[in-house]
């Protein structure tokens, strides 16, 4: 019996309570007329006691990273900034307006709102929000202002480790003219809300922060920072690996047959390809970066310089190859040949029979006739072997130094 009576009472309350306490349209119209008299000034900040600063709570809901352009230092994200404060002038008694008119919506232009400005704005100075944006107001005067927007700011990138870098970008909001003794910011949460965050194709968000600081002008700021790390897979496959392969491809110019006549064309083609990649990287990155420019630019410059010296080595080797064998080979080139290749590399030539003409030439120059068996083609071969070893060593070290530098960052 008791349980039946209890259920009956609950049913009565469910159906009767709305009929007794539900507010009407006229109640809300009367409320708006009452709380917005002609004496309400939207230019005066709320607060009955002017000695106490107005407390403004700030939160941020992070939606996505729209753009980060390193060349122009532009950073933009989408999200919603939430601002909560209390206006003692906008309160009402519930019993006068249907008994359950707890909250109502009012246009932004009808009440005082903080004039939030991003100090690191990218374009012209703009106010956060819009005059027709609705704001939720409750009976105690608590105001909740949610402003969805595209937020842009300047962000000077540190591209030393590009494309394996991480960046930290800031948005800094303040209210011009108000001192901390008049308005104080509070951050209930020390991080952005990422419950609705959408992953970016190029960046991984590592950390977000929200905190307050007082700048040198004695204005209080709310700073929101986003620390993000570049996803390097695309850059490794389209930039780093092709550059490494191209740099080592240059070495094969010293393995090409000299008689083919393609050595110079091959060397120039590969050198131009390296120069194109260097230009692409320089066009994408800004002219200045703190604390230094990208180490990848240094590596490409090193590869390009090595390629230039390779061209010189190819030309010198070709000149040796096509020189007349009647021209005497200097002693230093003979020693160079012996150091690089050694006499054991030409056993057949050492054993061949020396002709009468070769003996006469050797007699005139007062040298051993066996020395005339060393030709300019042999010097060209020694030059190719020396260039192959030396430039291969330089390229290997250039790439290893770059890998070590990048690995130290990770």
């Amino acid at each position: 019996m008791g349980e039946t009576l209890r259920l009956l009472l609950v049913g009565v309350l469910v159906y009767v309570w709305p009929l007794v306490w539900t507010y009407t349209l006229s109640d809300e119209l009367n409320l708006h007329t009452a709380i917005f008299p002609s004496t309400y000034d939207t230019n005066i900040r709320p607060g009955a006691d002017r000695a106490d600063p107005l407390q403004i709570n700030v939160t941020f809901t992070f939606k996505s990273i729209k753009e980060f352009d390193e060349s122009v230092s532009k950073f933009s994200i989408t999200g919603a900034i939430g601002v909560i404060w209390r206006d003692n002038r906008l309160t009402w008694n519930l019993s006068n307006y249907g008994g359950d008119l707890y909250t109502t919506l009012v246009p932004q232009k009808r009440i005082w709102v903080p004039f939030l400005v991003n100090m690191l704005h990218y374009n012209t100075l703009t106010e956060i929000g819009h005059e027709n944006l609705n704001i939720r107001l409750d009976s105690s005067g608590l105001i909740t202002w949610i402003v969805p927007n595209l937020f842009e700011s300047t962000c000077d990138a540190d591209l030393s480790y590009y494309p394996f870098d991480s960046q930290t970008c800031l948005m800094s909001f303040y209210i011009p003219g108000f001192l901390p003794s008049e308005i104080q910011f509070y951050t209930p949460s020390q991080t952005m809300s990422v419950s609705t965050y959408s992953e970016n194709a190029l960046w991984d968000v590592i950390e977000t922060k929200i905190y307050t600081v007082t700048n040198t002008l004695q204005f209080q700021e709310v700073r929101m920072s986003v620390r993000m790390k570049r996803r390097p897979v695309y850059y490794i496959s389209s930039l780093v690996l092709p550059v490494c392969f191209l740099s080592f491809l240059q070495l094969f110019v010293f393995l090409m047959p000299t008689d083919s006549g393609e050595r110079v064309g091959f060397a120039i083609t590969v050198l131009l390809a390296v120069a194109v990649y260097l230009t692409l990287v320089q066009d994408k990155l800004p002219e200045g970066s703190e604390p230094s420019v990208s180490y990848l630019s240094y590596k490409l410059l090193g590869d390009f310089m090595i390629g230039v010296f390779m061209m010189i080595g190819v030309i010198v080797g070709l000149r040796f190859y096509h020189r007349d064998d009647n021209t005497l080979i200097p002693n230093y080139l003979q020693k160079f040949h012996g150091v690089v290749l050694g006499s054991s590399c030409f056993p057949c030539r050492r054993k061949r029979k020396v002709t009468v003409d070769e003996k006469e030439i050797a007699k005139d120059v007062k040298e051993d006739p066996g020395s005339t068996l060393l030709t300019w083609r042999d010097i060209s071969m020694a030059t190719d072997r020396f260039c192959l070893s030396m430039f291969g060593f330089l390229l290997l070290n250039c790439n290893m130094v770059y890998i070590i530098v990048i690995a130290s960052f990770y």
Side-chain angles (χ1 to χ4, degrees):
M1 184 65 179
E3 182 66 19
T4 304
L5 181 60
R6 188 181 67 83
L7 293 175
L8 180 61
L9 291 175
V10 171
V12 170
L13 289 175
V14 169
Y15 288 101
V16 175
W17 183 274
L19 298 177
V20 176
W21 294 104
T22 300
Y23 68 90
T24 62
L25 175 60
S26 61
D27 290 331
E28 192 163 11
L29 291 174
N30 293 333
L31 172 64
H32 281 226
T33 303
I35 63 176
F36 293 110
S38 58
T39 56
Y40 183 88
D41 192 345
T42 58
N43 297 316
I44 304 299
R45 73 169 178 89
D49 188 352
R50 311 306 280 182
D52 294 333
L54 176 66
Q55 177 177 328
I56 297 180
N57 295 337
V58 180
T59 60
F60 192 87
T61 301
F62 192 10
K63 181 62 179 176
S64 65
I65 298 175
K66 182 179 183 297
E67 180 183 12
F68 179 55
D69 192 342
E70 305 94 335
S71 60
V72 294
S73 300
K74 180 181 179 181
F75 175 65
S76 61
I77 62 175
T78 59
I81 185 171
V83 186
I84 300 175
W85 71 96
R86 192 178 300 275
D87 193 335
N88 62 291
R89 298 170 293 180
L90 303 178
T91 61
W92 66 89
N93 191 336
L94 293 175
S95 61
N96 296 333
Y97 304 97
D100 60 349
L101 183 51
Y102 296 101
T103 64
T104 186
L105 294 176
V106 295
Q108 173 183 321
K109 62 184 178 181
R110 297 194 65 181
I111 65 174
W112 180 92
V113 295
F115 185 82
L116 288 174
V117 174
N118 185 7
M119 293 191 69
L120 302 176
H121 56 89
Y122 180 77
N123 291 314
T124 57
L125 182 67
T126 55
E127 179 185 3
I128 301 300
H130 188 272
E131 63 177 10
N132 293 321
L133 188 67
N134 286 328
I135 296 179
R136 185 163 294 277
L137 171 66
D138 73 5
S139 60
S140 64
L142 190 67
I143 300 173
T144 303
W145 184 35
I146 307 296
V147 186
N149 204 347
L150 171 65
F151 299 90
E152 297 179 342
S153 67
T154 58
C155 182
D156 295 327
D158 177 11
L159 299 171
S160 302
Y161 296 95
Y162 174 88
F164 304 94
D165 55 324
S166 62
Q167 306 294 336
T168 300
C169 294
L170 292 174
M171 294 184 298
S172 183
F173 295 98
Y174 83 114
I175 304 176
F178 288 98
L179 299 175
S181 59
E182 298 168 328
I183 289 180
Q184 283 190 353
F185 287 117
Y186 291 90
T187 54
S189 176
Q190 302 303 310
T191 59
M192 298 181 182
S193 173
V194 293
S195 58
T196 59
Y197 176 73
S198 300
E199 293 290 337
N200 186 268
L202 297 179
W203 295 94
D204 285 325
V205 175
I206 302 175
E207 183 183 24
T208 62
K209 290 183 180 179
I210 303 178
Y211 56 95
T212 62
V213 296
T214 301
N215 60 27
T216 56
L217 300 176
Q218 300 305 310
F219 293 135
Q220 192 180 29
E221 302 176 17
V222 176
R223 291 187 178 176
M224 305 176 186
S225 67
V226 178
R227 185 166 177 261
M228 51 193 180
K229 186 176 182 180
R230 194 189 302 270
R231 294 182 173 180
V233 176
Y234 167 77
Y235 300 95
I236 291 175
S237 60
S238 64
L239 181 61
V240 177
L241 286 181
V243 166
C244 292
F245 292 151
L246 276 176
S247 62
F248 283 102
L249 184 62
Q250 297 177 92
L251 295 173
F252 286 86
V253 70
F254 299 109
L255 300 177
M256 294 181 64
T258 308
D259 293 328
S260 65
E262 299 293 334
R263 278 193 165 191
V264 175
F266 177 83
I268 291 178
T269 301
V270 178
L271 183 63
L272 289 177
V274 175
V276 168
Y277 272 100
L278 179 61
T279 303
L280 291 175
V281 173
Q282 296 298 338
D283 288 343
K284 182 174 180 58
L285 302 182
E287 296 180 358
S289 171
E290 292 297 335
S292 65
V293 298
S294 173
Y295 293 120
L296 181 61
S297 298
Y298 289 126
K299 179 200 175 313
L300 289 173
L301 181 59
D303 291 344
F304 184 79
M305 293 177 63
I306 293 174
V308 171
F309 286 108
M310 280 188 184
M311 278 293 307
I312 297 175
V314 169
I315 294 173
V316 171
L318 288 175
R319 287 183 60 85
F320 287 158
Y321 185 84
H322 293 287
R323 185 166 293 184
D324 188 359
D325 284 334
N326 292 328
T327 304
L328 182 65
I329 300 175
N331 289 331
Y332 69 88
L333 287 180
Q334 296 182 31
K335 293 180 180 179
F336 169 75
H337 175 272
V339 170
V340 176
L341 296 179
S343 59
S344 60
C345 294
F346 299 92
C348 296
R349 295 195 180 198
R350 291 296 184 182
K351 293 179 180 178
R352 76 177 176 86
K353 184 178 179 180
V354 180
T355 63
V356 176
D357 293 338
E358 290 172 341
K359 289 181 179 179
E360 292 296 330
I361 294 173
K363 184 177 180 181
D364 293 339
V365 298
K366 298 180 181 182
E367 289 186 358
D368 180 20
S371 65
T372 60
L373 300 179
L374 188 66
T375 65
W376 283 105
R377 292 193 175 188
D378 299 331
I379 301 299
S380 174
M381 184 179 296
T383 302
D384 290 344
R385 186 69 60 85
F386 173 76
C387 290
L388 179 64
S389 302
M390 181 184 68
F391 291 124
F393 176 78
L394 291 177
L395 285 173
L396 181 62
N397 278 272
C398 182
N399 285 273
M400 287 301 298
V401 168
Y402 177 70
I403 292 173
I404 292 172
V405 170
I406 295 301
S408 66
F409 173 71
Y410 275 78

